């Protein structure tokens, strides 16, 4: 994990802007800063590459970047997990290696096989590859967008790019205006809307799309290559038993690959099936010395100490219980928002940041998380309703599943739309539950603003699987990946997500929807594939918690200083009605949607104060 930045244009950048850009990337890579500049005489062609290194594989300086192979130069952020297998394949066709790094493997892949070589790669990455001969620079992100990469092209055609927005600002020495639509999108429609259009909070700055490569030449014209286009189909020949075995084998292999490192790593740990599947595989299947970190709090909705303790004892792992820190919440949140170049999207990610802090203090350089299990196996409450729609023609299974829903889900689901198990049978394209209370939140804005919900149609054979694909590519997973990357990089930690494995994803996407839920429990395939690995009480517990905390644990609305902070003069009140916020914080029994809105407002308020005051 590292930081990358660069420039392609007709004039060289000042040394000061390059130094300032490197300084903004220090937390992403504190082990070494590298730079390389290129100038073609009499052609008005200049290129700068900047890299900050967090050493994870091959700690020797020989693996520092920018990394050269012939006429190609690479700066790279991420990990190529199957680099040992690729190295062996490359050596068989005559490639010579001088380091033990995955960086050298990646540049050889690109040199020998070009963009199509990425199909062989399993990993997470954002990289820039400069070819001295063609004078082209290519920007690329991994399939799921685990690693960030932003770019900006000014009116003269010059291209600036970086892992973080603050670095682009330092490179180009320009101010960027607020993307007001994006602010309103977040406030009204919530965190699930913020990556649907590949926008951010600054006008002019764009995001390199996942699974794509953008190439800019001396003419500054952009070429776009989709190097991965997943197939969306169901293999109805897969039996339930085959689905379980296939998912089990692929997840074990994914974890095995992601344990490769030359530095210590730790696991984010809750009482749920996602994190404990990874932990149990590492411990029981791979013999790894596991260190788990858990945030503990007193709210019964989020407290999981009994399950966590059960896993700790049964697997004999090293466990660190971290108390939820409430002191100095607002100053800490301000510091985090300043680093994120965006509002923090939910309170969950503030809690996750505290977890990364604890890992860093104990010397860990890698964090393993359970991101995307919900989107790959099915894990959200609405997935049950979509599942019932998909099996509506299988009479006996449908009747049994409705009874299971009434027993397991009906008593605990809070979203009013999802309290009807036949919601989508009555209205297949009803999605009001996704942007819950958006109509009410529109009234908080001074200006009229509406953006109705929309989703991509990836496939027509399953409402459930189409919804899950929207979540993984446009809604929930991109948000989680952005927040986890920024939180971990704040403490110079690399975050890894074993569920985001290409082979695992493609296999699970072929599994029939009718296998996704069983006996009223989502993630049926994951649960059954982990039998004999994960302790049974974890697998049989259907209560969904994860890393979370109530806002009341962190924000005392009865404290006059807190109320003054929320209502103090701020650029946010050019967009939001102050009297509506004043009325909202008088409510001591907020429903979940309004509690989330209050945090979104607070986070947006601080973000505007830090960037547009």
């Amino acid at each position: 994990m590292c930081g990358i930045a660069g420039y392609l244009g007709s004039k060289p950048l000042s040394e000061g802007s390059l130094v300032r850009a490197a300084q903004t990337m220090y937390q992403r890579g504190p082990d070494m800063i590298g730079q390389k500049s290129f100038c073609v005489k009499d052609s008005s062609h200049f290129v700068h590459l900047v890299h900050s290194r967090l050493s994870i594989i091959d700690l020797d300086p020989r693996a520092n970047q920018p990394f050269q192979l012939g006429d190609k130069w690479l700066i790279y952020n991420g990990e190529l997990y199957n680099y040992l297998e690729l190295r062996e394949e490359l050596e068989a066709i005559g490639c010579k290696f001088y380091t033990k790094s995955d960086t050298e493997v990646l540049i050889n892949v690109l040199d020998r096989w070009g963009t199509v070589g990425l199909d062989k790669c399993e990993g997470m990455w954002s990289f820039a590859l400069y070819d001295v001969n063609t004078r082209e620079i290519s920007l690329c992100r991994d399939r799921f967008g685990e690693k960030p990469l932003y770019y900006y092209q000014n009116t003269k055609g010059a291209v600036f790019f970086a892992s973080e927005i603050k670095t682009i600002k330092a490179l180009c020495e320009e101010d960027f205006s607020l993307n007001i639509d994006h602010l309103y999108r977040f406030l009204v429609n919530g965190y699930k809307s913020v990556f649907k259009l590949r926008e951010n909070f600054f006008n002019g700055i764009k995001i390199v799309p996942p699974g794509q490569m953008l190439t800019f030449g001396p003419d500054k014209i952009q070429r776009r290559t989709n190097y991965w286009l997943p197939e969306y189909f169901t293999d109805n020949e897969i039996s339930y038993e085959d689905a379980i075995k296939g998912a089990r084998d692929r997840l074990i292999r994914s974890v095995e690959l992601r344990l490769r490192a030359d530095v210590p790593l730790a696991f984010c740990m809750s009482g749920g099936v996602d994190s404990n599947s990874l932990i149990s595989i590492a411990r029981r299947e791979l013999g790894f010395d596991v260190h788990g970190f858990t945030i503990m709090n007193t709210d019964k909705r989020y407290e999981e100490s009994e399950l966590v303790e059960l896993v700790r004892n049964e697997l004999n792992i090293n466990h660190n219980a971290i108390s939820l820190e409430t002191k100095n919440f607002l100053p800490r949140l301000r510091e985090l928002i300043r680093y994120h170049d965006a509002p923090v999207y939910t309170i969950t990610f503030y809690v996750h940041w505290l977890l990364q802090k604890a890992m860093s203090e104990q010397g860990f350089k890698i964090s393993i998380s359970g991101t995307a299990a919900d989107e790959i196996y099915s894990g959200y409450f609405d997935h049950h309703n979509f599942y019932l729609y998909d099996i509506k023609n299988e009479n006996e299974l449908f009747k049994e599943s409705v009874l299971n829903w009434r027993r397991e889900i009906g008593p605990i689901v809070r979203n009013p739309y999802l309290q009807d198990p036949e919601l989508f049978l009555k209205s297949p394209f009803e999605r009001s539950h996704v942007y819950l209370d958006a109509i009410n939140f529109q009234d908080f804005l001074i200006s009229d603003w509406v953006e109705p919900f929309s989703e991509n149609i990836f496939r027509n054979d399953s409402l459930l699987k189409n919804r899950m694909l929207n979540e993984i590519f446009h809604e929930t997973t991109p948000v989680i990946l952005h927040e986890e990357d920024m939180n971990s990089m704040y403490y110079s930690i690399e975050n890894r997500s074993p569920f985001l494995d290409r082979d695992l994803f493609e296999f699970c996407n072929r599994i029939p929807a009718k296998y996704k839920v069983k006996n009223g429990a989502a993630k049926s395939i994951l649960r059954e594939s982990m039998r004999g690995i994960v302790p049974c009480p974890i697998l049989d517990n259907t209560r969904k918690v994860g890393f979370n905390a109530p806002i009341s644990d962190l924000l005392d609305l009865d404290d006059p200083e807190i109320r003054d902070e929320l209502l103090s003069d701020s650029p946010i009140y050019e967009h939001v009605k102050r009297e509506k916020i004043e009325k909202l914080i008088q409510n001591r029994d907020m429903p979940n949607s309004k509690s989330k809105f209050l945090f979104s407002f607070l986070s947006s308020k601080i973000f505007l104060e830090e960037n547009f005051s």
Side-chain angles (χ1 to χ4, degrees), residues 176-223:
F176 294 90
S177 60
L178 172 67
N179 184 338
I180 293 176
D181 273 335
H182 204 56
L183 174 68
Y184 294 176
R185 181 175 296 123
F186 173 53
L187 286 170
V188 172
N189 291 337
Y191 71 92
K192 291 182 181 179
S193 68
V194 296
F195 283 96
K196 289 176 76 72
L197 300 179
R198 306 290 183 205
E199 292 189 20
N200 61 83
F201 290 88
F202 296 91
N203 285 315
I205 297 180
K206 300 179 180 179
I207 304 171
V208 176
Q212 292 190 16
M213 179 180 285
L214 306 183
T215 300
F216 299 87
D219 54 9
K220 317 299 191 306
I221 296 175
Q222 177 190 125
R223 300 199 314 274

Side-chain angles (χ1 to χ4, degrees), residues 36 38 49 65-75 103-104 106-115 127-138 213:
K36 179 69 178 178
F38 305 86
L49 302 177
Q65 302 176 44
F67 196 96
Q68 180 184 14
L69 178 64
D71 290 320
K72 294 183 175 67
W73 290 81
L74 177 71
I75 50 175
T103 303
E104 189 176 15
L106 178 57
I107 197 171
N108 273 276
V109 165
L110 296 168
D111 182 60
R112 284 299 180 113
W113 298 316
T115 307
F127 67 74
L129 180 73
Y130 179 61
D131 189 319
V132 175
N133 280 334
T134 64
R135 291 186 285 161
E136 291 182 332
I137 194 161
S138 296
M213 179 180 285

Side-chain angles (χ1 to χ4, degrees), residues 162-290:
S163 298
E164 296 182 11
I165 289 173
K166 64 176 67 67
T167 309
I168 290 182
K169 289 181 177 180
L171 277 177
C172 68
E173 300 179 310
E174 293 184 33
D175 291 325
F176 294 90
S177 60
L178 172 67
N179 184 338
I180 293 176
D181 273 335
H182 204 56
L183 174 68
Y184 294 176
R185 181 175 296 123
F186 173 53
L187 286 170
V188 172
N189 291 337
Y191 71 92
K192 291 182 181 179
S193 68
V194 296
F195 283 96
K196 289 176 76 72
L197 300 179
R198 306 290 183 205
E199 292 189 20
N200 61 83
F201 290 88
F202 296 91
N203 285 315
I205 297 180
K206 300 179 180 179
I207 304 171
V208 176
Q212 292 190 16
M213 179 180 285
L214 306 183
T215 300
F216 299 87
D219 54 9
K220 317 299 191 306
I221 296 175
Q222 177 190 125
R223 300 199 314 274
R224 187 180 300 262
T225 304
N226 293 295
Y227 67 83
W228 183 57
L229 292 171
E231 296 180 343
Y232 305 120
F233 70 95
T234 296
D235 184 352
N236 290 306
E237 299 300 314
I238 297 179
S239 68
Y240 187 64
E241 291 70 25
D242 289 341
I244 290 169
K245 184 180 186 307
R248 175 190 177 109
D249 292 345
R250 286 166 174 79
L251 183 56
I252 291 173
R253 176 57 174 162
S254 176
V255 174
E256 181 182 25
L257 287 175
R258 285 157 179 80
L259 292 180
R260 289 177 171 174
D262 294 332
V263 294
L265 61 82
F267 289 76
C268 297
M269 182 179 182
S270 71
V273 65
D274 304 346
S275 64
N276 283 299
S277 292
L278 307 179
I279 286 168
S280 298
I281 288 172
R283 185 66 179 140
R284 284 182 162 164
E285 296 294 306
L286 304 173
F288 194 80
D289 184 20
V290 171

